[in-house]
Amino acid sequence: DGGITQSPKYLFRKEGQNVTLSCEQNLNHDAMYWYRQDPGQGLRLIYYSQIVNDFQKGDIAEGYSVSREKKESFPLTVTSAQKNPTAFYLCASRMRTGSNYGYTFGSGTRLTVV
Amino acid sequence: AQTVTQSQPEMSVQEAETVTLSCTYDTSESDYYLFWYKQPPSRQMILVIRQEAYKQQNATENRFSVNFQKAAKSFSLKISDSQLGDAAMYFCACYGGGATNKLIFGTGTLLAVQP
């Protein structure tokens, strides 16, 4: 079955370290998205990519970086510049064209700074 | 700018009763889509219902229906015959195509279902 796989499910990072969250999809979706979820703040958009080798900043991109070298993969790096990285991170994808604008979400990664 | 506002942080409903969750939005796009997502304790995002802005008819999916008031930019979710499994966080979201081209979420409403 097609879907989105996020790994790892739980991730612990020491202060000052960079960490990379994985997001892989086999849905043949063009667009991919990274969201951050904090209590009481809903989901906030970090970065998104509509096609390979192209991506745009979302509302809270500072301290994060992404790449989109393959259609199937959209990894997110949380850098040491991100001052408060402890959060739940969700990856999503969708077809760029067509009438179905519903997003498919992964199961998320919980990042904790220790 | 595109914004989504959910003014009810928490709601409670008795099992088998009906509850309505509120959502207002703002977008500069003429062609946009509205969604309600459910997030149970597993944190998996589940699409509940979708509404195309160009359609006047309110969307329905079994026990879930929406009241879409385009002029008022209001998009409420009605859950009928509430079940214990409906207990979850519910997010309203707006997708604007064109220059916006991204899905923006509200802050969520935590729904409790009392037996």
Side-chain angles (χ1 to χ4, degrees):
Chain A
D1 288 339
I4 298 181
T5 301
Q6 287 188 244
S7 61
K9 191 174 179 69
Y10 299 96
L11 186 58
F12 297 89
R13 190 196 92 171
K14 292 182 180 180
E15 294 217 21
Q17 281 184 338
N18 292 355
V19 289
T20 298
L21 283 60
S22 171
C23 179
E24 304 276 335
Q25 55 99 358
N26 59 4
L27 300 164
N28 198 33
H29 283 177
D30 301 296
M32 298 186 73
Y33 303 79
W34 274 106
Y35 288 89
R36 170 178 171 144
Q37 186 175 14
D38 296 282
Q41 297 196 51
L43 279 70
R44 294 182 292 166
L45 183 62
I46 305 172
Y47 266 100
Y48 62 108
S49 167
Q50 298 185 59
I51 55 173
V52 175
N53 292 323
D54 184 59
F55 47 83
Q56 289 80 39
K57 293 182 179 180
D59 300 318
I60 56 165
E62 185 176 351
Y64 300 96
S65 66
V66 293
S67 63
R68 187 85 187 278
E69 298 176 1
K70 298 186 300 181
K71 188 175 185 178
E72 301 79 17
S73 178
F74 191 41
L76 173 73
T77 296
V78 185
T79 74
S80 56
Q82 170 50 235
K83 296 177 182 176
N84 185 20
T86 294
F88 186 68
Y89 292 86
L90 279 163
C91 179
S93 72
R94 70 165 188 87
M95 288 297 291
R96 193 162 63 91
T97 57
S99 61
N100 179 7
Y101 285 90
Y103 282 41
T104 300
F105 284 85
S107 56
T109 294
R110 174 71 185 177
L111 173 63
T112 303
V113 173
V114 296
Chain B
Q2 192 167 286
T3 60
V4 177
T5 302
Q6 294 179 251
S7 59
Q8 305 156 315
E10 297 181 12
M11 292 282 285
S12 182
V13 63
Q14 291 291 129
E15 197 175 4
E17 296 295 309
T18 296
V19 64
T20 298
L21 308 184
S22 301
C23 173
T24 58
Y25 65 92
D26 193 15
T27 178
S28 58
E29 300 291 340
S30 57
D31 184 20
Y32 57 91
Y33 299 76
L34 298 163
F35 304 86
W36 278 97
Y37 280 88
K38 171 184 178 181
Q39 188 181 46
S42 67
R43 306 199 82 167
Q44 181 68 47
M45 295 290 284
I46 302 166
L47 178 64
V48 175
I49 200 164
R50 173 196 299 118
Q51 174 80 43
E52 292 88 341
Y54 63 86
K55 289 187 178 178
Q56 293 185 335
Q57 187 173 5
N58 289 326
T60 61
E61 288 287 343
N62 301 312
R63 297 182 295 107
F64 298 88
S65 62
V66 299
N67 183 5
F68 175 45
Q69 301 290 327
K70 191 171 184 178
K73 295 186 177 179
S74 171
F75 183 62
S76 61
L77 174 69
K78 185 171 82 170
I79 306 174
S80 304
D81 185 25
S82 297
Q83 300 175 359
L84 296 177
D86 294 334
M89 181 71 84
Y90 286 82
F91 291 100
C92 179
C94 178
Y95 174 85
T100 307
N101 206 11
K102 53 188 179 182
L103 187 64
I104 300 299
F105 287 84
T107 52
T109 296
L110 182 62
L111 178 65
V113 180
Q114 308 299 330

